[in-house]
């Protein structure tokens, strides 16, 4: 079965950086697009970024464009999110999610999430 | 970018049927598939409907999805309501470079 396990969350000061990881198993990682979706405390879901199965295409929400970078290592079955210039409004649970296909923009499977808190 | 608008909350009694709507602000609802996610308190979201009306394995057939081009909206219908269906429900759609979630609907089963 599909398993997605996020790690790397924690407390970080405004302006600093953090890198999240997502270890994937139970499917052929290199065949699927992958997403990051976040949820601020008490708020709804907000899509962050997507990367195509082979890394050829990457798209970002306007709120993180220029600050966050999505990447993947298909040899390690791992997805990453490099977050720079963090702001208080980036505080959220960050979910790793698998696409329906190579890059359909349809989120199908979800991880359990990792909490990022941006605070001084 | 378009928006997806959902009612803030709905409530219904066990055993009844409830429908949650999701209205697309611009562009045709039929131009891109709509998905629905369930999120119980304290848990990660799970997919209950994808590609407008497809159920992932393990999702009971009490859950169904549809789209209505006349109202430019999608709907999630849950029949035979159970207390375990009490959760937040989110719709989702997309365009070529952007994924959009609705604001979520809190379903209360009382």
């Amino acid at each position: 079965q599909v398993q997605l396990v996020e790690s790397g969350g924690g407390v970080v000061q405004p302006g600093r950086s953090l890198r999240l990881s997502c270890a994937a198993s139970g499917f052929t990682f290199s065949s699927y697009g992958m997403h990051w979706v976040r949820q601020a405390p008490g708020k709804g879901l907000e899509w962050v970024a997507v990367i195509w199965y082979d890394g050829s295409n990457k798209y970002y929400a306007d709120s993180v464009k220029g600050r966050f970078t999505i990447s993947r290592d298909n040899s390690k079955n791992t997805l990453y999110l490099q977050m720079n210039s963090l702001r208080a409004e980036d505080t959220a649970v960050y979910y790793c999610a698998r696409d329906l296909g190579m890059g359909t923009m349809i989120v199908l499977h979800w991880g359990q999430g990792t909490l990022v808190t941006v605070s001084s | 970018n378009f928006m997806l608008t959902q009612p803030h909350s709905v409530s219904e009694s066990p055993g009844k049927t409830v429908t949650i709507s999701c209205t697309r602000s611009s562009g045709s609802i039929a131009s891109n598939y709509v998905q629905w996610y369930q999120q119980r308190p304290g848990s990660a979201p799970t997919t209950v409907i994808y590609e407008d009306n497809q159920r992932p394995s393990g999702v009971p057939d009490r859950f169904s999805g549809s789209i209505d081009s006349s109202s430019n909206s999608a709907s999630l219908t849950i029949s035979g309501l159970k207390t375990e269906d009490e959760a937040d429900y989110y719709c989702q759609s997309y365009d070529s470079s952007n994924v959009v979630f609705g604001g979520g609907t809190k379903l209360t089963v009382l």
Side-chain angles (χ1 to χ4, degrees):
Chain A
Q1 72 281 20
V2 174
Q3 281 205 309
L4 302 167
V5 180
E6 302 91 338
S7 61
V11 180
V12 60
Q13 293 179 328
R16 303 298 291 259
S17 299
L18 200 64
R19 189 178 82 156
L20 304 183
S21 299
C22 171
S25 61
F27 64 100
T28 304
F29 183 71
S30 59
S31 296
Y32 289 90
M34 297 294 297
H35 302 256
W36 287 101
V37 178
R38 69 184 181 182
Q39 187 171 35
K43 302 297 184 182
L45 301 174
E46 180 188 16
W47 175 74
V48 173
V50 63
I51 185 169
W52 253 229
Y53 70 108
D54 59 355
S56 59
N57 287 300
K58 304 175 186 181
Y59 299 107
Y60 299 90
D62 289 343
S63 58
V64 306
K65 205 171 292 183
R67 299 188 300 123
F68 289 12
T69 301
I70 189 171
S71 62
R72 64 191 298 159
D73 186 335
N74 285 346
S75 68
K76 295 182 178 179
N77 290 349
T78 303
L79 175 72
Y80 303 101
L81 185 67
Q82 178 67 42
M83 303 185 294
N84 298 332
S85 302
L86 282 161
R87 307 166 180 167
E89 54 265 36
D90 295 318
T91 294
V93 174
Y94 285 74
Y95 295 103
C96 164
R98 201 202 82 179
D99 195 274
L100 174 64
M102 294 184 290
T104 66
M105 306 295 266
I106 294 173
V107 175
L108 191 63
H109 295 281
W110 300 76
Q112 289 303 304
T114 187
L115 177 62
V116 173
T117 302
V118 183
S119 173
S120 54
Chain B
N1 286 349
F2 63 93
M3 294 192 306
L4 296 172
T5 301
Q6 301 180 232
H8 180 69
S9 63
V10 297
S11 61
E12 190 50 270
S13 303
K16 299 291 189 179
T17 296
V18 70
T19 297
I20 300 171
S21 63
C22 171
T23 302
R24 180 166 172 156
S25 62
S26 61
S28 171
I29 192 71
S31 61
N32 306 98
Y33 287 119
V34 175
Q35 286 57 243
W36 290 92
Y37 307 102
Q38 177 191 68
Q39 186 177 34
R40 295 188 174 109
S43 297
T46 62
T47 304
V48 292
I49 294 289
Y50 68 98
E51 290 186 332
D52 296 342
N53 55 20
Q54 301 300 302
R55 281 187 309 277
S57 60
V59 174
D61 60 6
R62 301 185 298 106
F63 291 81
S64 62
S66 64
I67 63 167
D68 180 356
S69 294
S70 66
S71 59
N72 214 35
S73 65
S75 294
L76 172 68
T77 299
I78 311 171
S79 60
L81 274 170
K82 301 183 177 184
T83 55
E84 68 203 45
D85 298 330
E86 188 161 289
D88 293 326
Y89 291 86
Y90 296 89
C91 60
Q92 178 251 320
S93 194
Y94 54 92
D95 58 24
S96 59
S97 61
N98 193 41
V99 171
V100 178
F101 286 96
T105 298
K106 181 176 180 60
L107 169 62
T108 302
V109 182
L110 39 64

